[in-house]
Amino acid sequence: MTQNLVLAIETSCDETAAAVVADGKNVLSSVVSSQVDIHARYGGVVPEVASRAHVDLIAPVIAQALVEAGIEHSDVDLVAATRGPGLIGSLLVGVSAAKSLALVWKKPFIGVNHLEAHLYSCFLEEPDLELPLVVLLVSGGHTMLIAMDDHLSYKILGQTLDDAAGEAYDKVARYLGLGYPGGPIIDQLAVSGKPEIEFPRPMLHEGYNFSFSGLKTSVINYVRKNPETPIEDIATSFQEAVVDVLVTKAKKAAIEINAKGLCIGGGVAANSRLREAVLDACLQEGLHSFVPSRSYCTDNAAMVAAAAWRRYSQDGPSSLYTGADPNLRLPE
Ligand code: KG4
Ligand code: ZN
């Protein structure tokens, strides 16, 4: 394709992000403005507050992405934005900004699926990853095991039946009074704890679906009955249970479909223990593994640009009538 300089925008939840990426892999800039401090006092993302913050931040974040990339807006070949899934008010800010810029600059626009963007974070740093691949997508809203036989072609092998892995981290942290978002805080605490408590491993040997709500409840019940237990031991034991289930199933799936490799993506893929366990499991099985840099696991716009570039090459631009879709699914 001739369009190789993508300006991408990501506003599906509580990060306002913009990036400029060349050829779907060379990141010229990736700006992420987090609203974590704004939402922390409420213990979670407040959708109305998030959309207002996106409105305030979107123009400066886009301007910074262009400046850091050292390009003029006339150099941009394609304008992309996440169009779903996510919070409708937040998504609308990014989609409207991208469509307005595309219209004024007379450039094509493309709407991107946020889940596809998380999958393509793997190809940002390793564009030549061999297929078929199994990707474990673990974020605040999703927990999915996906088989990729070809680019842009997915088969969902399993997903969570209740809470997403990141949601379980956030809810356990909230119960323990640790703050928001819980994932990075538990990750940090777990470094100095002992995995002494044998929390349940839900659905460990039952197919590829997941369930984390019962595990979260067992942690809460345990803490109620044993208030003296060091918080670090709770964090480590909870994390061991989550990682055990995720890695056991991902490894089994990769072997079963004869995948060349196993990748992870999404905010929980920034977790130190999960990253280490995936690398170990792949080493044991002789599988190629790929773990993206932490900054490309949590929400960012560089991954949106990588997915946009692939989609545009295959399907061309989206219409300017394309809207945001809070319930958008991964195309199978
Ligand atoms: O992908 P993401 O930034 O946003 C969504 O699309 O949901 O993921 C956010 C989730 C939150 O639940 C957060 O607690 C979790 O990712 N997370 C982590 C870590 N960093 C972020 N969970 C465990 N360990 C981490 N280091
Ligand atoms: Zn995400």
Side-chain angles (χ1 to χ4, degrees):
M1 89 170 191
T2 51
Q3 269 82 6
N4 62 9
L5 219 50
V6 181
L7 167 68
I9 297 170
E10 157 63 42
T11 62
S12 66
C13 189
D14 62 342
E15 322 279 4
T16 315
V20 177
V21 176
D23 299 323
K25 57 183 186 221
N26 300 322
V27 182
L28 305 188
S29 64
S30 178
V31 180
V32 180
S33 175
S34 174
Q35 302 175 9
V36 159
D37 295 343
I38 303 173
H39 299 286
R41 78 187 80 149
Y42 305 105
V45 178
V46 182
E48 186 58 27
V49 173
S51 9
R52 282 166 195 266
H54 284 307
V55 171
D56 289 340
L57 293 165
I58 191 81
V61 164
I62 294 171
Q64 192 181 338
L66 293 175
V67 170
E68 282 185 15
I71 63 160
E72 301 288 331
H73 67 70
S74 52
D75 299 324
V76 171
D77 295 305
L78 176 65
V79 186
T82 300
R83 63 174 291 256
L87 301 170
I88 183 65
S90 293
L91 290 166
L92 278 170
V93 177
V95 169
S96 309
K99 289 199 293 192
S100 312
L101 292 176
L103 193 64
V104 174
W105 295 346
K106 300 188 171 54
K107 307 286 178 178
F109 158 77
I110 187 161
V112 174
N113 184 314
H114 184 75
L115 302 174
E116 189 159 84
H118 272 304
L119 295 177
Y120 270 85
S121 65
C122 301
F123 295 94
L124 252 183
E125 293 169 290
E126 201 141 338
D128 299 325
L129 273 177
E130 270 190 277
L131 301 168
L133 270 182
V134 164
V135 187
L136 172 67
L137 201 170
V138 270
S139 70
H142 295 86
T143 300
M144 292 174 144
L145 257 181
I146 297 152
M148 255 182 101
D149 281 340
D150 208 344
H151 277 287
L152 306 173
S153 156
Y154 315 108
K155 182 166 189 293
I156 300 175
L157 303 172
Q159 51 193 322
T160 184
L161 304 178
D162 41 55
D163 289 355
E167 193 179 351
Y169 266 96
D170 294 339
K171 287 179 173 169
V172 165
R174 190 187 312 176
Y175 178 77
L176 298 174
L178 297 174
Y180 173 84
I185 304 171
I186 291 185
D187 190 357
Q188 187 59 40
L189 277 173
V191 174
S192 47
K194 294 188 276 309
E196 310 236 293
I197 313 151
E198 199 44 39
F199 287 126
R201 269 71 170 153
M203 305 180 72
L204 186 62
H205 299 296
E206 292 164 48
Y208 293 125
N209 284 333
F210 302 90
S211 164
F212 291 107
S213 162
L215 169 60
K216 169 196 71 194
T217 311
S218 339
V219 174
I220 293 175
N221 288 339
Y222 185 91
V223 175
R224 266 200 204 118
K225 285 189 203 135
N226 305 277
E228 306 305 322
T229 312
I231 198 100
E232 291 83 0
D233 293 355
I234 305 281
T236 312
S237 307
F238 162 71
Q239 181 159 283
E240 282 304 314
V242 174
V243 170
D244 190 9
V245 174
L246 293 175
V247 175
T248 303
K249 290 189 188 243
K251 184 169 90 174
K252 191 163 162 233
I255 295 168
E256 187 178 311
I257 73 150
N258 251 324
K260 292 259 171 34
L262 172 61
C263 300
I264 55 176
V268 182
N271 183 268
S272 332
R273 181 71 190 106
L274 177 63
R275 298 166 76 84
E276 185 185 86
V278 165
L279 295 174
D280 283 352
C282 288
L283 204 64
Q284 273 169 20
E285 300 300 332
L287 281 162
H288 184 74
S289 57
F290 185 67
V291 170
S293 301
R294 282 192 167 83
S295 57
Y296 295 140
C297 291
T298 46
D299 286 349
N300 67 90
M303 67 180 190
V304 177
W309 180 79
R310 274 281 168 193
R311 267 286 158 207
Y312 186 86
S313 308
Q314 182 180 293
D315 299 344
S318 306
S319 143
L320 284 180
Y321 291 104
T322 305
D325 180 352
N327 303 314
L328 194 65
R329 301 166 83 100
L330 193 68
E332 273 192 280

